[in-house]
Structure formats: C-alpha cells, structure tokens
Amino acid sequence: MSPSFKIDGVTVPFEAGQSIMEAALAAKIYIPHLCHNPEFHPHGSCRLCCVTTDGRSVAACTTPALDGMEVANETHEITTQRRLLLKLLFVEGNHVCPACEKSGACQLQAVAYHCGMLAPEFVHFYPRRAVDASHPETIIDFNRCILCELCVRASREYDKKGVFSIGGRGIQAHLMINSPSGKLGDSRFSAADKAARVCPVGAILPKHRGYEVPIGKRLYDQESISRVGDVAAHQERDHDE
Amino acid sequence: MTNKVRIASASLAGCFGCHMSLLDIDERLIDLVAQIEFDRTPLTDIKQIGSCDVGLIEGGVCNAENVEVLKAFRRHCNILVAVGACAINGGVPAMRNQYSLAECLEEAYLSGSGIDNPQIPSDPELPLLLNQVHPVHEVVWIDYFLPGCPPSADTIFTFLDELLSGRPIQFAYRQIHYD
C-alpha cells in the first residue's frame, strides 16, 4: 500500500519525499500559492499555502507529506488568514489592476478572487520605485513585485545567468538587477530567458504588447485559479507555441 | 413618511464611471426606485445629505472638499459603501502618489506644454489638493466594499438587491473583479 494522507478529508496518495503541495497538485487539489512553481525548489515566502496539521500551521510547499497525516486547507480560518496575507501584499505595492497589462491573467489577483478578497482595507504604502525600461524587450515595474523570487530562481537555476536577486532588509527588501548600472538593459537578461516567463504578477512584462486578450477571455475571467492553474504554466505554454 | 430605503451617493476623486455602472442596471432601476428613495446624489438636486440608510461612495480622497463630503456621508449613513477601485485603493488617480504634489501642479499649470499665463490656481474657493490620494477607508469607517473599475451593473444590482431583501451578500465568481 502506498502511503497517503488526507486534505480536508480527501485521501491523497504520495511518494516518499513529496511535499504536501506536490502531492496535492498531483491529486488536483488546489492549495492557494504564489511563490511555488513546481519547476523550482520551494521558497516558502508567500505563506499563502499554509495549511494546518497536527495543530499547527505549516507551509504546504516546504512540509513533507507523512503517512496518515490530516491536513486542513480550505477552512474558514485558513481562508481568512490567506485574505489577510493577500491584503498585506496589495497594500505593500501599487496594484492598480485597472491600469495593469497583467490584469485578468495575474496570479496575485486570481488568488485574491479565489479567497474572496473585496478590498485591501489596510493603509497603503504607495512605494515609489522607478520603473526599469532600459531593456529593449522587457520592462520591470518594481512596485508590483511580490518578492516571490521566481525570477531569481529561474535566472540562477535554469538560465544560469543570475540576473536577479533580492536586496535590502525588511520592508526595504526589493528586486535587484545584477549589472554594473543596476539596469536590466545592461544585464545578461534576454526576453527568451526562463526568468522572463515566471513572474506571477505584472512586475516583469514584455514590452510593446499588452491588452491583447479581450476581456472575458483572459486566463482567470471565467473560472477560478483553482480550476485554471498557475499563470506561469500558461506563459510557458504560450512560449512553446 | 415612507418606509422606503434612503440612498445617497457621491463621487469624490472619481470619474462618474461607477455611477454610470449603477445606471447600467437599466430597467431594473424602475423596480429599484419602488423600494428606494434617493437623497443627495449627482442624480438629484439635493445639496446637503440628510439621514440615510445607505451611502455609496465612488472615488478616492484627493482634496479637502472630498474629506468634508466623506465625513458628512459617514455621519448621515447607516451603511457606507466604497464603490469601485478608486474608493477602495485610490485607483488610477493614486498613481499621482508616485510624484510630489508640487511636481504635479508644476507640470499641469507651470511647465507643461501649451500653457498660457502660467500660475497655480490659488483662489480660496478652490479646495486644496492633499499631498496624496487616499482610499476612503483611510478617512472614515467603511462597512462594505464593491470592487471593480467600475463594478459591473450586475454586481451593483446583486449588492443592492440582497441588501434590500436582507439576504446575505454573495457574489458569483464573475461578479468580482478589480479591473
């Protein structure tokens, strides 16, 4: 008998070494997440995948599955907690969805819809980080960055370039570009890089295109992310076509 | 005296788009006005808000007059609703928070192109701009938020319909969007 555990009462089989998240994804059970991408090592920064097991809260992406464990995922308490985390992310940046090219296909927005967030409700930070438009094909709006480090991981582990890193401490933590000037245009970044396709929000965007998909047909317009899946997987599919 | 539900609305730093979306409920407005009565709104000629059941606020807070109107709405409304992205997080107008107020005024009235007789308007009749644009919840307590830029007519109708009938307020997936 292969080992198994339960998520909200549903039995989920797993292989030794799999995290709760990996087993849930394989069983098509949705656990909200932002910094997790199955192609990369787990990161554990967004805290949205926190579930409870054995009386405590753990990140599903970094916690190994154990035989017989009972995991709570979509409970009222956990969803309330996730809404709180989402509100914090929204007020930390400038998430002006009506003017963002990623709107409708943004994972932060989609998870917020899934968790039923109506408004951020906290005091807004309104950060003032300058947009980096120095690269001919790609633009970065640092005020939308949620520090998931997916671009950092993709550039380091997949592209072998190490273009991105996170610098600064506390609320000053921010995405940095590894180039003499600190500008993307002076780095080894290319729009064909994996790092160009992993951003779950509207921070790293292709230039000269936007608003190409009609409203109603965008990734998360009709159905919840719990059925549609991650935006990065779709960006990868578009890239392969 | 009627026992109709009294509704007021205002546009602060808004574009009137949320009010247009309210009108987009079309002929359902006729059923609605059988149950409600409008107090001060841009749709009536009432200048000062009176006691109301519901206040709908569109737009963020960008100047001193917005603050006064918003506080008057809070004093007079049992339920105050932030309608639309601007009221909720400042919206597109809050993109001016990327600049100082002086930079904005200088660009618009002094150094911008095609300006005749450059001067920053200073008549006391004009409300002073705040340093930053703020969501309404940073000024007064808000009881409910209706996201969207604008919220769809269906969303607004669902909200009013459920509120008036006393049912719990619930939206279908497609009725909630931030854009």
Side-chain angles (χ1 to χ4, degrees), chain A residues 90 94-99 103-104 109-110 112-114 116-130 143 215 218 220-225, chain B residues 85 88-101 103 131-135 137-138 141-142 144-149 171 173-174 176-179:
Chain A
F90 269 85
N94 296 330
H95 297 284
V96 191
C97 301
S103 191
Q109 190 189 58
Y113 292 164
H114 175 82
M117 187 190 93
L118 291 178
E121 294 183 65
F122 292 114
V123 173
H124 281 68
F125 284 61
Y126 295 123
R128 286 188 184 186
R129 300 199 169 104
N143 300 308
I215 287 172
R218 300 170 306 180
Y220 303 119
D221 277 345
Q222 302 292 331
E223 279 198 298
S224 164
I225 185 168
Chain B
I88 282 171
N89 66 10
V92 171
M95 289 169 85
R96 85 146 149 100
N97 296 351
Q98 292 297 297
Y99 307 93
S100 71
L101 178 58
E103 284 173 309
N131 280 341
Q132 289 205 315
V133 177
H134 298 271
H137 71 75
E138 288 182 17
W141 176 259
I142 295 294
Y144 213 86
F145 298 89
L146 281 185
C149 185
F171 298 100
Y173 177 75
R174 273 173 266 182
I176 294 299
H177 54 86
Y178 307 150
D179 58 357

Side-chain angles (χ1 to χ4, degrees), chain B residues 5 11 17 20 29 51 66 119 173 175:
Chain B
V5 171
S11 180
M20 295 308 293
L29 268 171
S51 185
N66 291 160
Q119 54 178 312
Y173 177 75
Q175 288 182 323

Side-chain angles (χ1 to χ4, degrees), chain A residues 46 69 189:
Chain A
C46 76
M69 83 198 302
F189 177 84

Side-chain angles (χ1 to χ4, degrees), chain A residues 39-117:
Chain A
E39 294 193 64
F40 298 98
H41 288 108
H43 193 241
S45 67
C46 76
R47 311 315 288 173
L48 276 171
C49 72
C50 281
V51 292
T52 50
T53 178
D54 219 0
R56 63 191 201 106
S57 180
V58 294
C61 67
T62 57
T63 306
L66 292 175
D67 197 24
M69 83 198 302
E70 305 241 351
V71 172
N73 174 33
E74 298 265 4
T75 66
H76 175 73
E77 286 76 11
I78 296 172
T79 301
T80 305
Q81 176 78 15
R82 286 176 181 151
R83 270 205 296 268
L84 179 83
L85 291 166
L86 288 158
K87 289 172 184 186
L88 295 174
L89 284 172
F90 269 85
V91 298
E92 262 180 37
N94 296 330
H95 297 284
V96 191
C97 301
C100 179
E101 299 95 310
K102 200 67 171 274
S103 191
C106 165
Q107 200 159 328
L108 174 66
Q109 190 189 58
V111 175
Y113 292 164
H114 175 82
C115 293
M117 187 190 93

Side-chain angles (χ1 to χ4, degrees), chain A residues 7-28:
Chain A
I7 299 180
D8 292 338
V10 178
T11 302
V12 178
F14 70 96
E15 289 161 26
Q18 275 190 320
S19 65
I20 297 172
M21 177 69 81
E22 284 166 331
L25 283 172
K28 300 207 182 321

